[in-house]
Amino acid sequence: MTSSAQGSDQASDRGADGAAGRETGQGAGREAAQARPASPARPTANAMRRALRRARDGVALDAGEAAVLLQARGADLEDLCASAGRVRDAGLEAVGRPGVITYSKGVFIPLTRLCRDKCHYCTFATVPGKLRRAGHGMFMSPDEVLDIARRGAEMGCKEALFTLGDKPEERWPEAREWLAAQGYDDTISYVRAMAIRVLEETGLLPHLNPGVMSWTDVQRLKPVSASLGMMLETTAERLWSEPGGPHHGSPDKEPAVRLRVLEDAGRSNVPFTSGLLIGIGETYEERAESLFALRRIQRAYHGIQELIMQNFRAKPDTAMRGMPDAELEELAATIAVARHIMGPSTRLQAPPNLVDGEYALLIAAGIDDWGGVSPLTLDHVNPERPWPQIDELTERCAAAGFELRERLPVYPEFIQRGEPWLDPRMLPHVRALADPETGLAVEDAPVVGRPWQEPDEGFTLNSSGRTDLHHTIDTEGRSGDRRDDFDEVYGDWEALREAAAPVMAAGPVPAGGGRGERTDADVRQALSQAADDPTKLTDAQALTLLHADGPALDALCTIADALRRDTVGDDITYIVTRNINFTNVCYTGCRFCAFAQRRTDADAFTLSLSQVADRAQQAWDVGAVEVCMQGGIHPDLPGTAYFDIARAVKERVPGIHVHAFSPMEVVNGATRTGMSIREWLTEAKAAGLDSIPGTAAEILDDEVRWILTKGKLPTATWVEVIKTAHELGIRSSSTMMYGHVDQPHHWLGHLRLLADIQREARSKNVDGFTEFVTLPFIHTNAPVYLAGIARPGPTTRDNRAVTAMARLLLHPYITNIQTSWVKLGTEGAAEMLRSGANDLGGTLMEETISRMAGSSYGSYRSIQDLVAIADRAGRPARPRTTTYGPVREERQAVARASDGHLPELLPVVE
């Protein structure tokens, strides 16, 4: 069941509080005329015959052919439907349910009818005054929600469809006041809370339609829902941007915004429902373009579980009441074309209460689902259209040669896919109602509440897998060059290759780019400015220097090294630290990462809390002042487990600095617990967290990020986590991983953003970043390289230019520039120390992430090793703390006695 497109998150408001603001018939007519496109010229008979033949032959259609077929009527429509039906039938056969059409038995829960949008066809949305006069609250109360859900459960329903307006608190003070009085920060928080109560107290499975969601919202709602949904409706931007259009004045109806939600859901492995609303003024070409946009997203992520094709129905008391309804033949043609474009594996649905009994026509067109049918509640979006009786649907399907079967709000294919499509906390609820063989609903299954909680076999109870990987990686290596689900977990490689091509295309090389022996006036001017005052480098000058090579690059590195000397002196710093990766089980789908494994992979491991604490104790015993702890996004990992990890280390070794949990882990913890990022970080600090690594940054440009990673947090969320941590007194490092699908202009944007964050922190008297760490991409086992998309890491030229420009562009805000011996080796690190870097990072004691990626420089360095690297750079070395302060003499003495490494560590591999 999903919300109908003519309401719910597509809701509107037609006036100020207390008045619906009925428009005059003349005004409504003007708006309808503006929304309706000019009548298109009918396609020629030859064009129609050609398109129909290509559809019959199973040839991929283009947008022009799709637009032609959308106009098929009469015998042409019958021909089109026949070929679409064959595609549908092949898809049902492939998933093991030939001749089956599904539906979901559920209830509608209209959580709020307030909305910030003003869609011109909507009767769902209302205003606070009307709700008050009718005796209703701004939102349904928990008791009202649970009353509907309980009655639905008693009637055998299994789905609770939450439908509501978009972000009402951003428009209506009454909505903000209601949420605040109930203790909720926003509507999404209330949706999440009610979903949990429905799960625990009634057993219904929530399908949530809260409208446009941010990436973080998707993470917050995934653990409490069987599936999420939002209608795309159309990609015709003019219907949103032009006055009189049906979506004008509705910020959540911008097509780019809605497509971003679909992509975020796909990246997050969320079974998602979407679809089109046809007949609202779009042309056939625009409708075809909308279908191809949906296909592009489905091809990339395979996360769209169903598409609803819904026909516009004009309603009284709306601006579009004068618009003609979309005819059922037009709906049938749209379904048939959608079937050809989307293929056999995507489920297509038509709302059965909007088709005037023409069930056979729509079955013939290629649907395989009727959506939600409720024996209890109205279709609150289309209240004038009652649901058909299930017995009637069964008879109509049988007459067309199909069997009607009940499904759950998450489709069988996603139940059978398993991880990572359903959160572990949802699995017991779904499995209680699903047939283990088919994934369809067990119709007579008892619908009763069950605890919504972390899995019993959770992370904290015991260790598992290859827990010795931290040292056997150097002797035995990894079991294979890729994880077993390589072809699925990262999305569609061919679609990714197409998306990466424009990103990887080199931007314009600035004049005087310094290639070869060339040193022209532009390079000289940029070098002069860098030497005189690097804070005044323009973007054009910075790009010129990022492209520098030959003598120009040598001059750049000399300038950067002089600035390093003037800023932090000659000492090369290092820290005695231990890396502790507590799990490598992860389904985020980072395409550069060779560390992440499925739980069943040979190289997968998870440490127990006692093992984490043991490793911290071992590090302390050989002089460490810090442990750096990060792990994969394990599906079973409770959001509070991070607190337990920090607490376990601090209880065992009170004096050690806990540098832990990347921004991705912070968001994971916050969304799993339902806390805000600020609340979660505050709790983590109380548990013993001292600082956080600024990893998960990669390149802070979403154009690059969405090539590098499928499901990691977007740039804006990374920035939010870092700024919040800084404000709470939790300092962080900053990083940049480069040399994959990026270009120098991406490096420039990244460095500028970091400088801006630190400048803002300083203006608030906040310490902020401790250092900037250069992270050259290790390509050897990286999935994005194995798939033939990324280049094989940065060149030596790239490394020198990035190090030098980091020194210049981050000055005077971030003064410590760290180079990575793990990724560059001894000589490479020494070269970076001559190019503007002043820090060597840590002894590490164990390093698994880069080694799994294919780094050949070992898993640790002793203090003597690090001092030797400094010697090669011709400068003295000294130990430091995480925040670059002096190390107590007692710690230094212990470290010197052990040389800063564990006694049983293995030789470094050069």
Side-chain angles (χ1 to χ4, degrees):
M1 183 184 292
T2 68
S3 61
S4 171
Q6 285 178 249
S8 179
D9 65 288
Q10 294 79 20
S12 71
D13 187 309
R14 294 166 304 284
D17 187 0
R22 177 188 293 273
E23 304 188 39
T24 66
Q26 185 178 11
R30 278 198 303 271
E31 291 212 351
Q34 286 177 301
R36 186 186 302 117
S39 297
R42 291 280 300 166
T44 65
N46 280 340
M48 181 64 73
R49 280 196 299 272
R50 180 178 184 276
L52 286 170
R53 183 176 65 252
R54 288 174 64 83
R56 283 194 304 272
D57 292 344
V59 178
L61 303 174
D62 62 26
E65 291 161 342
V68 168
L69 293 175
L70 285 168
Q71 300 173 69
R73 301 292 183 269
D76 291 337
L77 178 59
E78 291 179 8
D79 188 337
L80 175 64
C81 289
S83 59
R86 289 193 294 272
V87 176
R88 181 263 324 278
D89 294 344
L92 292 176
E93 182 78 32
V95 295
R97 52 176 189 273
V100 171
I101 291 179
T102 50
Y103 78 101
S104 177
K105 188 176 181 180
V107 296
F108 260 73
I109 298 178
L111 196 63
T112 180
R113 292 179 60 198
L114 298 180
C115 184
R116 74 170 181 171
D117 293 323
K118 303 176 182 180
C119 301
H120 298 186
Y121 44 69
C122 178
T123 57
F124 177 80
T126 187
V127 295
K130 283 190 172 183
L131 290 175
R132 280 193 294 267
R133 287 193 294 275
H136 300 308
M138 300 302 105
F139 291 76
M140 291 179 68
S141 70
D143 287 344
E144 290 171 324
V145 170
L146 292 171
D147 177 63
I148 291 176
R150 287 190 183 105
R151 287 191 287 144
E154 291 170 359
M155 301 176 74
C157 296
K158 299 174 184 66
E159 174 178 1
L161 167 63
F162 284 74
T163 184
L164 56 148
D166 272 88
K167 301 177 181 62
E169 68 273 23
E170 296 192 11
R171 180 180 182 188
W172 301 107
E174 294 90 340
R176 290 194 297 274
E177 292 163 4
W178 190 95
L179 290 166
Q182 302 300 316
Y184 298 102
D185 293 334
D186 53 22
T187 297
I188 295 292
S189 298
Y190 187 49
V191 171
R192 176 185 165 103
M194 290 302 97
I196 292 172
R197 290 199 63 179
V198 164
L199 283 165
E200 292 199 318
E201 299 183 39
T202 74
L204 295 187
L205 302 177
H207 172 82
L208 306 179
N209 283 269
V212 165
M213 294 167 275
S214 68
W215 179 90
T216 303
D217 291 339
V218 173
Q219 314 314 306
R220 293 165 70 187
L221 296 181
K222 178 178 178 178
V224 302
S225 60
S227 53
L228 300 177
M230 183 201 70
M231 294 287 283
L232 172 61
E233 298 194 19
T234 181
T235 56
E237 187 168 347
R238 65 181 180 82
L239 300 183
W240 167 78
S241 63
E242 296 178 5
H247 294 151
H248 187 67
S250 301
D252 300 298
K253 292 306 178 72
E254 182 179 2
V257 170
R258 300 181 84 77
L259 288 169
R260 190 265 307 154
V261 175
L262 269 67
E263 296 217 45
D264 283 349
R267 294 181 184 113
S268 304
N269 300 308
V270 171
F272 204 81
T273 292
S274 192
L276 301 185
L277 176 59
I278 70 167
I280 58 173
E282 79 283 8
T283 66
Y284 291 117
E285 290 75 15
E286 288 168 336
R287 193 180 303 168
E289 289 165 4
S290 299
L291 287 169
F292 277 96
L294 289 166
R295 187 180 76 167
R296 176 183 60 79
I297 293 172
Q298 179 70 331
R299 182 183 169 207
Y301 306 108
H302 305 289
I304 296 176
Q305 64 167 1
E306 64 179 340
L307 289 177
I308 305 168
M309 297 296 121
Q310 184 178 328
N311 46 323
F312 168 77
R313 294 285 194 174
K315 300 178 187 299
D317 198 27
T318 68
M320 292 178 65
R321 61 185 177 274
M323 283 279 285
D325 290 350
E327 297 176 355
L328 289 180
E329 279 201 332
E330 184 165 358
L331 175 61
T334 301
I335 291 169
V337 172
R339 174 58 69 197
H340 279 291
I341 290 174
M342 300 304 298
S345 62
T346 300
R347 309 279 74 86
L348 291 182
Q349 175 196 131
N353 59 323
L354 302 181
V355 301
D356 295 337
E358 293 288 341
Y359 303 106
L361 173 62
L362 302 187
I363 292 173
I367 69 158
D368 45 25
D369 188 81
W370 289 117
V373 178
S374 178
L376 177 64
T377 55
L378 295 172
D379 176 351
H380 290 276
V381 176
N382 301 282
E384 78 285 2
R385 299 274 179 171
W387 299 113
Q389 295 296 310
I390 293 172
D391 288 346
E392 180 188 1
L393 268 183
T394 301
E395 292 171 3
R396 296 299 189 103
C397 289
F402 287 84
E403 178 187 4
L404 184 67
R405 293 285 303 276
E406 184 185 356
R407 62 165 173 85
L408 301 178
V410 54
Y411 273 72
E413 292 83 346
F414 290 87
I415 298 174
Q416 292 166 343
R417 284 185 198 176
E419 289 181 327
W421 292 96
L422 283 172
D423 187 275
R425 285 165 290 188
M426 285 299 304
L427 281 175
H429 301 267
V430 172
R431 287 172 175 164
L433 303 177
D435 184 312
E437 296 296 323
T438 66
L440 293 170
V442 176
E443 295 193 12
D444 58 355
V447 184
V448 296
R450 292 172 177 83
W452 179 82
Q453 61 187 20
E454 306 295 349
D456 290 338
E457 65 279 9
F459 165 83
T460 58
L461 294 182
N462 48 56
S463 64
S464 62
R466 194 178 171 186
T467 57
D468 61 353
L469 184 65
H470 62 295
H471 62 81
T472 60
I473 187 65
D474 280 334
T475 56
E476 301 172 19
R478 53 184 296 152
S479 300
D481 72 343
R482 63 193 71 191
R483 55 192 281 173
D484 291 345
D485 57 352
F486 183 90
D487 293 331
E488 294 86 31
V489 72
Y490 304 108
D492 185 273
W493 286 115
E494 189 56 40
L496 185 70
R497 193 170 288 108
E498 293 173 9
V503 176
M504 294 186 68
V509 179
R515 301 225 168 148
E517 297 299 316
R518 183 179 178 188
T519 304
D520 63 14
D522 290 321
V523 175
R524 289 194 298 272
Q525 183 181 23
L527 288 170
S528 176
Q529 182 61 65
D532 182 50
D533 184 355
T535 65
K536 293 182 180 178
L537 279 169
T538 66
D539 284 355
Q541 289 172 329
L543 275 175
T544 293
L545 296 178
L546 281 166
H547 283 92
D549 204 353
L553 179 60
D554 293 338
L556 171 64
C557 292
T558 298
I559 292 168
D561 203 42
L563 180 62
R564 181 271 309 156
R565 185 181 306 110
D566 293 343
T567 304
V568 295
D570 280 335
D571 285 354
I572 293 172
T573 50
Y574 64 88
I575 186 168
V576 181
T577 183
R578 182 174 190 171
N579 273 1
I580 302 175
N581 302 125
F582 45 85
T583 183
N584 66 350
V585 176
C586 188
Y587 294 84
T588 301
C590 292
R591 300 172 180 122
F592 60 85
C593 180
F595 174 70
Q597 304 289 300
R598 292 194 306 177
R599 69 170 81 235
T600 55
D601 288 342
D603 291 331
F605 72 87
T606 297
L607 303 181
S608 67
L609 286 177
S610 62
Q611 287 174 318
V612 171
D614 288 345
R615 294 189 185 193
Q617 180 69 62
Q618 292 168 356
W620 180 260
D621 291 344
V622 296
V625 295
E626 171 197 275
V627 286
C628 177
M629 301 190 295
Q630 298 180 86
I633 307 302
H634 195 307
D636 293 343
L637 189 74
T640 55
Y642 300 102
F643 308 152
D644 297 335
I645 292 168
R647 194 175 292 115
V649 169
K650 283 291 190 178
E651 288 175 355
R652 184 74 66 85
V653 192
I656 205 159
H657 183 105
V658 173
H659 180 65
F661 315 139
S662 72
M664 181 65 188
E665 292 170 283
V666 171
V667 172
N668 183 54
T671 55
R672 284 176 180 268
T673 57
M675 296 179 175
S676 69
I677 289 170
R678 182 174 296 273
E679 290 168 341
W680 192 92
L681 282 168
T682 300
E683 190 73 20
K685 185 177 181 182
L689 179 67
D690 295 306
S691 62
I692 64 174
T695 49
E698 283 66 78
I699 293 289
L700 293 172
D701 184 318
D702 286 345
E703 177 185 55
V704 176
R705 293 179 75 76
W706 299 141
I707 304 300
L708 284 179
T709 176
K710 177 184 173 187
K712 192 168 277 189
L713 75 175
T715 296
T717 308
W718 188 93
V719 172
E720 179 188 2
V721 171
I722 291 294
K723 286 185 174 182
T724 304
H726 291 174
E727 290 168 4
L728 292 171
I730 302 171
R731 299 192 69 181
S732 77
S733 60
S734 60
T735 65
M736 182 174 79
M737 186 185 73
Y738 61 96
H740 32 77
V741 299
D742 50 343
Q743 294 295 329
H745 66 276
H746 297 122
W747 307 342
L748 174 60
H750 185 106
L751 293 169
R752 293 287 200 207
L753 177 55
L754 294 179
D756 288 344
I757 293 170
Q758 187 73 340
R759 183 186 300 111
E760 180 182 332
R762 293 278 182 85
S763 71
K764 298 177 180 178
N765 295 316
V766 171
D767 289 327
F769 292 126
T770 53
E771 76 243 75
F772 172 73
V773 186
T774 60
L775 299 175
F777 172 60
I778 304 297
H779 70 282
T780 312
N781 296 321
V784 72
Y785 175 75
L786 295 177
I789 296 173
R791 60 185 183 273
T795 63
T796 299
R797 189 220 72 83
D798 293 341
N799 291 328
R800 294 179 69 200
V802 165
T803 301
M805 290 304 292
R807 170 61 66 189
L808 297 173
L809 293 174
L810 297 177
H811 181 76
Y813 303 106
I814 304 175
T815 57
N816 296 303
I817 308 298
Q818 181 185 128
T819 189
S820 174
W821 62 258
V822 176
K823 298 176 186 296
L824 294 174
T826 296
E827 192 51 54
E831 182 64 31
M832 297 312 112
L833 291 169
R834 294 187 287 267
S835 303
N838 67 296
D839 187 78
L840 272 172
T843 54
L844 302 190
M845 302 189 193
E846 60 179 83
E847 201 296 316
T848 313
I849 296 175
S850 294
R851 293 289 288 117
M852 288 284 281
S855 169
S856 60
Y857 298 114
S859 297
Y860 73 95
R861 282 288 189 271
S862 70
I863 293 173
Q864 291 184 36
D865 293 331
L866 297 180
V867 171
I869 297 175
D871 287 343
R872 289 197 185 202
R875 305 214 303 274
R878 65 172 174 84
R880 64 165 174 87
T881 64
T882 307
T883 55
Y884 285 76
V887 178
R888 298 196 322 269
E889 180 55 38
E890 174 271 332
R891 288 283 85 201
Q892 291 192 52
V894 174
R896 284 194 297 269
S898 65
D899 202 15
H901 65 77
L902 304 176
E904 296 180 1
L905 284 176
L906 299 159
V908 175
V909 179
E910 283 287 5

